[in-house]
């Protein structure tokens, strides 16, 4: 079976320029060698902290950014080598929904115009476009009379539904969801999460779900890739990552989540990492996590650990000394 | 019980806007005992920040504040002169804000700002001593190499380090009360864990009471002794942290807990609260939560439920809180 999406050796380096001549003095390796694979109807989550490259990866997938190197195969075709015309057609199948429901919708367009825009751009509006917009609004739980209103008349949760209706307008097969619920209050966040799951079941959508919120990721994902400084440090099924994480960064990330249960909070084992994430313009040699890692040895400074399954747990981890912990977090 | 460190009674705050008067906070009463950590939880617009900011009169001019009492260690803060209020801000009451980038002065060194916080509250200002204290404080909150880092500016600090500097300023004058407004919301989880550990340590060492304002029930469960839940500008429930999480006695609290995806539990389907938070310029009649409430009936649409004591140290503003007691 060929996968819906296959990403190989993806790189995105941003130049750092200084001086009058804008000479390049360095580069930020925002995404530095990422491989991903995703099947129809599946959710793959990219998790990590700010600056790990997860959002850049998402933007590369829909080619809002041009990759520095690497292949993005969608239904077997390499998006980087397609002609403009072919790309335009393929692009309909890959859509993106953004984090900020306030910045991502035009204040000058009605909801109808916002959702109709992708149809018009692709020349599909003339043929039953108005009905299509009505159906889309209904699909995401908005009422038909909402179509005549402007985005500012809606709450954050409703705006995310408008963004979702727009993303769904062209019958995509893959949605890149960039922190889609992070700006929402918890009570509303749960509504949107349930809706995303419902739509996935009904429409057979595949999601790349980008998030820093591991509780949400645990709830929604089939597979998870943990990123740190532009690379994937560990990847596997939801169960692999949440019950048998072998990379120290994954373990630290999981134990850092505050558990909404005060019982036993004083006995809970926590791994508190020292220091901050290093700058991606000057990442550490060898393993990028070694400057914050309690297990770091000589070898970690010299040799970047490959993303492989060293101890036979069934999923790969980019650590020289992977191990399955006895207990994790509050579980 | 000792006299509360901070006592707020009948606090209401209105904002006049183009869309009419917004009742940001209505009839909020709250007491903080010495040394305890009280969390004020609620979603955006629930009035939690406005409540806390009104204590030190830090609200914009457009705010119309009325209260039967706002007293800190018995001193009435409502009528205190501006000069005496300044002596309290940053002195016996320390503040930590959500966004350390906008709360810190970008053109002043970190050390200068921490030292200033110390100097302003010294009887005989001594610059050198204040600077030494700044270095000591930054070391205490875990800024590495503090003697060098004091000379740096806020933009040279990471988010987590800036928040540490804010905490250093808040604890500079051995406060009795720390007001922390979403202190970890802008931070990544591993940094949040560091800052939570630091807040726990600062609280243990200074013995200061803390008002923790947050929307994150995980942070509440990790840190708080007591919880006050706000909705639509009112307190809807208040209880000890264990009691609240074990048996919430207001349907809003219960709904919040059910809508959380959990790291420690497998839930198949999240159970969201339907609808949206109310428009505070035109809040619903009766109980403000009734349009979203599974327990709502006719009485809720017309009659505002008062916040009543329903047990030792706990109260609920629901007509039907009894129905929630059995479902534990």
């Amino acid at each position: 079976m060929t996968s819906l999406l296959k990403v190989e050796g993806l790189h995105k380096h941003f130049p750092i320029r200084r001086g009058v001549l804008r000479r390049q003095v360095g580069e930020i390796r925002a995404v530095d060698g990422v491989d991903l694979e995703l099947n129809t109807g599946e959710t793959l989550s990219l998790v990590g902290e700010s600056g790990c490259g997860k959002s850049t990866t998402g933007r590369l997938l829909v080619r809002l950014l041009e990759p520095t190197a690497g292949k993005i195969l969608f239904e077997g075709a390499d998006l980087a080598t397609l002609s403009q015309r072919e790309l335009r057609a393929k692009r309909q199948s890959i859509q993106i929904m953004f984090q900020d429901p306030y910045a991502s919708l035009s204040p000058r367009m009605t909801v109808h115009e916002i959702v109709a825009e992708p149809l018009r751009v692709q020349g599909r509006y003339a043929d039953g476009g108005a009905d299509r917009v009505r159906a889309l609004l209904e699909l995401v739980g908005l009422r038909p009379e909402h179509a005549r209103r402007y985005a500012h008349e809606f709450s954050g949760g409703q705006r995310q539904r408008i963004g979702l209706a727009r993303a769904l307008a062209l019958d995509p097969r893959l949605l890149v969801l960039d922190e889609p619920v992070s700006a929402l209050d918890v009570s509303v966040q749960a509504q949107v999460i349930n809706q995303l799951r419902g739509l996935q079941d009904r429409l057979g959508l595949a999601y790349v779900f980008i998030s820093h919120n591991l509780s949400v990721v645990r709830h929604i994902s089939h597979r998870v890739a943990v990123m740190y400084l532009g690379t994937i440090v560990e990847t596997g099924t939801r169960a692999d990552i949440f019950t048998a994480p072998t990379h120290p960064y994954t373990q630290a990330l999981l134990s850092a989540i505050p558990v909404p249960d005060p019982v036993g909070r004083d006995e809970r084992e926590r791994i508190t990492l020292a220091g901050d994430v290093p700058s991606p313009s000057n990442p550490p040699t060898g393993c990028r996590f070694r400057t914050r890692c309690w297990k770091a040895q000589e070898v970690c400074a010299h040799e970047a650990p490959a993303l492989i399954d060293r101890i036979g747990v069934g999923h790969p981890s980019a650590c020289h000394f992977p191990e399955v912990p006895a207990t994790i977090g509050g579980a | 019980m000792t006299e509360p460190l901070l006592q707020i009674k009948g606090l209401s705050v209105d904002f006049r806007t183009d869309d009419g008067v917004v009742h940001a906070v209505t009839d909020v009463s709250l007491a903080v005992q010495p040394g305890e950590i009280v969390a004020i939880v609620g979603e955006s617009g629930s009035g939690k920040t406005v409540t806390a900011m009104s204590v030190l009169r830090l609200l914009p001019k457009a705010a119309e504040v009325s209260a039967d009492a706002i007293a800190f260690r018995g001193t009435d803060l409502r009528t205190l002169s501006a000069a005496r209020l300044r002596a309290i801000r940053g002195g016996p009451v320390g503040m930590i804000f959500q966004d350390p980038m906008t709360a810190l002065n970008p053109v002043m060194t970190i050390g200068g700002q921490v030292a200033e916080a110390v100097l302003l509250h010294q009887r005989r200002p001594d610059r050198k001593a204040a600077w030494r204290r700044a270095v000591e404080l930054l070391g205490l909150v875990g800024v590495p190499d503090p003697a060098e880092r004091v000379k740096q500016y806020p933009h040279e600090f990471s988010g987590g380090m800036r928040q540490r500097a804010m905490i250093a300023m808040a604890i500079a004058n051995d406060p009795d009360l720390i007001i922390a407004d979403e202190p970890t919301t802008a931070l990544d989880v591993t940094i949040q864990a560091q800052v939570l550990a630091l807040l726990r340590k600062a609280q243990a060492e200074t013995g200061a009471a803390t008002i923790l304002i947050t929307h994150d029930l995980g942070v509440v469960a990790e840190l708080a002794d007591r919880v006050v839940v706000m909705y639509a500008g009112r307190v809807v429930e208040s209880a000890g942290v264990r009691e609240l999480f074990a048996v919430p006695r207001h349907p809003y609290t219960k709904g919040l807990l059910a809508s959380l995806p959990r790291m420690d539990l497998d839930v198949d389907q999240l159970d969201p609260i339907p609808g949206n938070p109310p428009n505070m310029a035109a809040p619903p009649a009766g109980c403000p939560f009734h349009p979203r409430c599974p327990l709502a009936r006719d009485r809720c649409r017309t009659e505002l439920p008062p916040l009543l004591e329903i047990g030792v140290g706990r109260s609920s503003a629901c007509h039907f809180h009894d129905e929630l007691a059995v479902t534990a």
Side-chain angles (χ1 to χ4, degrees):
Chain A
M1 188 176 93
T2 57
S3 32
L4 182 70
L5 177 78
K6 198 169 163 72
V7 173
E8 289 171 1
L10 192 65
H11 288 259
K12 179 66 190 179
H13 303 168
F14 294 100
I16 307 172
R17 297 182 195 279
R18 291 257 161 76
V20 207
L21 299 174
R22 312 303 298 154
R23 216 155 45 86
Q24 185 174 337
V25 294
E27 59 183 2
I28 291 176
R29 300 180 157 222
V31 177
D32 204 15
V34 160
D35 300 329
L36 296 171
E37 201 168 348
L38 178 62
N39 295 318
T40 301
E42 246 186 15
T43 300
L44 167 67
S45 289
L46 300 181
V47 302
E49 299 178 280
S50 9
C52 72
K54 57 191 190 299
S55 283
T56 304
T57 303
R59 273 151 211 254
L60 290 167
L61 294 181
V62 288
R63 280 193 64 191
L64 284 176
L65 289 171
E66 291 298 320
T68 309
K71 277 187 187 164
I72 303 171
L73 301 170
F74 184 74
E75 295 174 326
D78 187 353
L79 294 186
T81 60
L82 291 180
S83 70
Q84 278 300 322
R85 178 191 297 264
E86 290 168 319
L87 179 65
R88 202 179 161 108
K90 271 280 187 254
R91 240 185 191 161
Q92 302 188 33
S93 306
I94 313 174
Q95 295 291 324
I96 186 163
M97 179 177 157
F98 297 99
Q99 169 173 8
D100 185 345
Y102 294 86
S104 58
L105 301 176
S106 167
R108 292 163 170 272
M109 292 163 84
T110 63
V111 169
H112 179 93
E113 287 166 337
I114 289 170
V115 178
E117 195 180 26
L119 294 165
R120 290 188 205 274
V121 169
Q122 293 284 354
R124 285 166 57 176
Y125 187 76
D127 184 18
D131 291 336
R132 174 82 185 132
V133 171
R134 251 193 305 279
L136 284 163
L137 291 180
E138 196 191 320
L139 187 67
V140 299
L142 291 168
R143 290 199 298 272
E145 65 265 28
H146 287 150
R148 288 191 304 276
R149 299 201 200 152
Y150 290 86
H152 72 85
E153 298 173 63
F154 295 89
S155 65
Q158 287 171 314
R159 283 176 206 225
Q160 282 308 61
R161 289 168 202 257
I162 299 168
L164 186 58
R166 173 175 64 185
L168 292 172
L170 298 169
D171 305 302
R173 312 209 35 214
L174 171 65
L175 273 192
V176 175
L177 306 165
D178 189 0
E179 302 268 11
V181 296
S182 303
L184 305 178
D185 278 319
V186 264
S187 71
V188 177
Q189 174 181 303
Q191 297 172 7
V192 176
I193 291 171
N194 281 351
Q195 177 148 53
L196 287 169
R197 285 183 56 164
L199 285 171
Q200 179 166 56
D201 289 345
R202 278 172 66 185
L203 308 175
L205 293 166
Y207 293 148
V208 173
F209 189 86
I210 297 165
S211 181
H212 70 280
N213 185 331
L214 281 129
S215 312
V216 173
V217 164
R218 181 174 183 270
H219 183 73
I220 204 168
S221 313
H222 299 101
R223 286 187 306 116
V224 180
V226 182
M227 292 186 72
Y228 189 79
L229 274 182
T231 61
I232 292 176
V233 296
E234 183 164 10
T235 181
T237 63
R238 188 180 89 118
D240 288 339
I241 298 298
F242 285 94
T243 61
T246 67
H247 196 286
Y249 179 62
T250 313
Q251 293 167 4
L253 209 52
L254 293 179
S255 88
I257 316 286
V259 179
D261 183 0
V263 178
R265 68 180 176 190
D266 300 324
E267 291 81 49
R268 213 165 279 147
E269 271 203 47
R270 289 189 185 84
I271 307 167
T272 307
L273 289 180
D276 288 308
V277 181
S279 162
S281 66
N282 184 21
T285 57
C287 172
R288 291 168 185 223
F289 182 60
R290 71 177 165 85
T291 53
R292 301 174 79 196
C293 183
W294 64 97
K295 290 161 102 177
Q297 312 266 326
E298 268 298 307
V299 60
C300 305
H302 305 305
E303 198 184 315
L307 183 63
I308 49 174
D309 183 7
R310 289 176 181 77
I311 50 174
V313 284
H315 74 275
S317 159
C319 177
H320 291 302
F321 309 103
E323 77 195 299
V324 179
T327 54
I328 269 292
Chain B
M1 191 166 261
T2 50
E3 187 195 347
L5 184 68
L6 178 74
Q7 177 100 56
I8 301 175
K9 278 190 184 155
L11 172 74
S12 294
V13 184
D14 291 344
F15 287 91
R16 286 192 188 285
T17 71
D18 296 342
D19 299 330
V21 178
V22 173
H23 306 284
V25 169
T26 311
D27 195 19
V28 165
S29 298
L30 158 83
V32 180
Q33 303 298 331
E36 72 170 344
I37 304 183
V38 178
I40 305 183
V41 225
E43 299 181 283
S44 25
S46 62
K48 54 191 191 301
T49 297
V50 172
T51 298
M53 293 301 141
S54 64
V55 171
L56 291 180
R57 303 217 304 260
L58 288 172
L59 291 170
K61 285 214 168 60
E64 289 169 20
V65 182
S66 68
D68 300 329
I70 302 178
F72 175 68
R73 290 192 306 211
T75 307
D76 188 347
L77 297 181
R78 294 172 303 166
T79 52
L80 207 63
S81 71
R84 292 195 50 206
L85 196 62
R86 270 201 302 278
I88 289 182
R89 293 179 188 145
V93 181
M95 303 277 313
I96 301 166
F97 298 98
Q98 170 171 0
D99 183 353
M101 198 58 208
T102 50
L104 292 170
N105 183 343
V107 295
M108 195 171 171
T109 60
I110 295 283
Q113 298 185 56
V114 180
E116 185 184 47
V118 177
L119 272 176
L120 285 176
H121 295 277
Q122 279 178 340
R123 274 170 207 280
R124 282 190 213 89
D126 176 345
R127 292 200 159 270
K128 284 209 169 124
W131 189 263
R132 280 197 301 276
R133 174 81 175 135
V135 175
E136 186 194 345
L137 283 164
L138 288 174
L140 201 67
V141 297
V143 171
D145 200 8
E148 284 306 308
R149 305 277 322 239
V150 279
K151 299 173 199 157
Q152 293 184 326
Y153 290 88
H155 76 266
E156 298 174 89
F157 271 47
S158 67
M161 285 298 151
R162 277 184 224 131
Q163 204 53 295
R164 286 169 192 267
M166 287 273 297
I167 295 172
M169 290 163 73
I171 62 171
N173 298 300
D174 203 10
D176 293 325
L177 177 67
I178 296 171
I179 299 177
D181 185 7
E182 303 270 9
T184 61
T185 305
L187 306 175
D188 277 319
V189 273
T190 63
I191 309 299
Q192 166 171 289
Q194 293 171 1
V195 171
L196 289 179
L198 175 62
L199 283 172
R200 220 177 273 125
K201 180 178 153 211
Q203 206 269 342
E205 282 177 10
T206 63
T210 304
I211 296 179
L212 175 73
I213 300 156
T214 181
H215 69 283
D216 187 332
L217 287 159
V219 171
V220 172
E222 295 274 340
L223 223 52
D225 299 318
R226 214 152 54 75
V227 189
V228 172
V229 183
M230 289 189 70
Y231 185 79
R234 294 174 185 272
V235 174
V236 294
E237 182 166 13
S238 131
V241 68
R242 281 170 188 255
E243 292 77 23
L244 186 101
F245 279 80
V247 189
R249 293 286 296 272
H250 192 283
Y252 174 63
T253 316
K254 193 174 178 197
L256 271 187
L257 288 170
S259 59
L260 274 186
R262 300 280 294 250
M263 289 295 287
D264 51 342
L265 296 174
D266 275 308
V267 255
D268 207 33
Q269 181 86 357
L270 299 178
D271 200 356
I273 301 175
N276 291 292
N279 173 0
M280 294 307 291
C287 171
F289 188 59
H290 86 253
R292 306 175 73 187
C293 182
L295 299 182
R297 45 209 93 156
D298 284 347
R299 187 179 169 198
C300 307
R301 289 174 194 105
T302 52
E303 192 186 326
L304 178 76
L307 183 69
L308 294 178
E309 194 153 324
I310 55 166
V312 181
R314 68 180 308 183
S315 34
S316 165
C318 176
H319 291 308
F320 304 105
H321 63 80
D322 277 342
E323 295 177 21
L324 295 171
V326 282
T327 62

